[in-house]
Amino acid sequence: MTPVVESERTMEPGPKRGFRSWVTVALWLLGGLILLVGLDVGVRLVAQDRIAHHVQETLPPGVEGEVEARVHGFSTLWQLAMGRASHVTVSADELTAYGLKLAASVDAYGVHIFDGMRTETLTGTLNVPEATLEGVAALPGTDASLTLGDDELSYTSKVSFLGLTGTLTVDAQLRLVDGEVVIDPTKVEVSGTAFGQALTQALPDIDEFAVPICTADYLPAGLHVSELRIAEGMLTVGVEAKNIALSAEIPDSGEFSTCRD
């Protein structure tokens, strides 16, 4: 009897067949992972667009700008399923507020997506350029100017007193005290006239020039100023809040924030 010889194509070593099976499984897993990541990226882009659109649509009257949003963390699908995003950044690099140019960025933590974009904790920064502040400081019919230095600001304006005209210069620092921004002068003098020294001495005590500004008059309830920084050409204002909506609007009256006691 002649022995039967199996075809070489059907006789594959066991380890080789096992290796090919492992490669097949790995490829399927890799493909599934790539599909999942791609789906998550797509959902993230849609979520970011929805959040940005929601915030932009709820900007108060007089405030305009292109808003961008970024959802952090993985995975976006899981965060949406839970209805809570761990970290969302909303920013506007070119924001116009009542004719003033500035930039804003907000980091919101624990954002309840289906509950009015309510956030558990919020921190943000508002960057106000020198040109914007100078426009606010300048009074109609004056040639006043404002300069931001390193941790200080300088305000200059023409003044007239008893027919004498000179230049009033006020150097000041900003302090944050219990929700109030205090403009604290460090130097006040009148120059540009022969009687400048006499006029300077006739000015009230320097402490009389300190100006407190309650920031609560300009912020939604629950939002507080937490930091002030002055650098060359830029004022940076830090804000913070807890349990506040990303779309919190500045009301016409009533529910403003309050200065801390």
Side-chain angles (χ1 to χ4, degrees):
M1 177 180 295
T2 303
V4 178
V5 179
E6 295 186 13
S7 172
E8 294 181 359
R9 288 177 298 178
T10 61
M11 294 180 61
E12 297 181 358
K16 189 174 181 180
R17 290 198 302 270
F19 176 76
R20 288 184 177 179
S21 299
W22 182 88
V23 170
T24 301
V25 172
L27 289 175
W28 275 104
L29 291 175
L30 180 60
L33 180 61
I34 293 175
L35 180 62
L36 179 61
V37 171
L39 180 61
D40 194 82
V41 169
V43 171
R44 183 187 302 272
L45 293 175
V46 172
Q48 291 176 165
D49 183 70
R50 294 285 181 87
I51 293 173
H53 180 74
H54 175 78
V55 174
Q56 189 160 340
E57 286 294 309
T58 54
L59 289 175
V63 180
E64 299 178 349
E66 189 71 23
V67 176
E68 296 183 354
R70 181 182 178 188
V71 178
H72 303 270
F74 186 83
S75 85
T76 307
L77 285 170
W78 175 254
Q79 295 184 71
L80 286 177
M82 298 299 292
R84 179 183 179 276
S86 59
H87 180 194
V88 175
T89 298
V90 178
S91 60
D93 294 334
E94 295 182 1
L95 196 64
T96 302
Y98 311 105
L100 305 177
K101 302 294 184 180
L102 43 88
S105 178
V106 170
D107 285 290
Y109 301 90
V111 181
H112 295 256
I113 301 171
F114 305 115
D115 186 17
M117 295 293 176
R118 180 175 60 84
T119 71
E120 297 170 8
T121 304
L122 179 148
T123 61
T125 57
L126 189 67
N127 293 320
V128 187
E130 183 177 279
T132 294
L133 288 176
E134 188 170 3
V136 175
L139 298 176
T142 71
D143 58 352
S145 63
L146 183 72
T147 303
L148 297 179
D150 189 10
D151 294 328
E152 66 177 6
L153 59 85
S154 180
Y155 178 80
T156 303
S157 177
K158 294 291 185 182
V159 293
S160 296
F161 182 72
L162 298 178
L164 300 175
T165 301
T167 300
L168 173 67
T169 301
V170 180
D171 295 334
Q173 294 179 335
L174 297 184
R175 293 186 294 118
L176 187 62
V177 182
D178 296 330
E180 288 187 331
V181 176
V182 180
I183 303 176
D184 195 6
T186 57
K187 180 181 178 181
V188 179
E189 68 175 359
V190 177
S191 60
T193 174
F195 299 95
Q197 184 176 358
L199 291 175
T200 299
Q201 294 176 348
L203 291 172
D205 188 78
I206 194 171
D207 292 337
E208 297 295 325
F209 285 89
V211 179
I213 302 174
C214 181
T215 57
D217 292 339
Y218 310 97
L219 301 174
L223 194 64
H224 304 282
V225 175
S226 59
E227 183 183 16
L228 289 172
R229 297 195 309 272
I230 300 178
E232 292 290 341
M234 185 71 68
L235 169 65
T236 299
V237 181
V239 295
E240 63 179 19
K242 293 184 181 297
N243 195 28
I244 190 172
L246 272 177
S247 57
E249 298 181 8
I250 299 177
D252 294 331
S253 62
E255 296 182 3
F256 287 98
S257 184
T258 57
C259 290
R260 297 172 178 174
D261 295 328

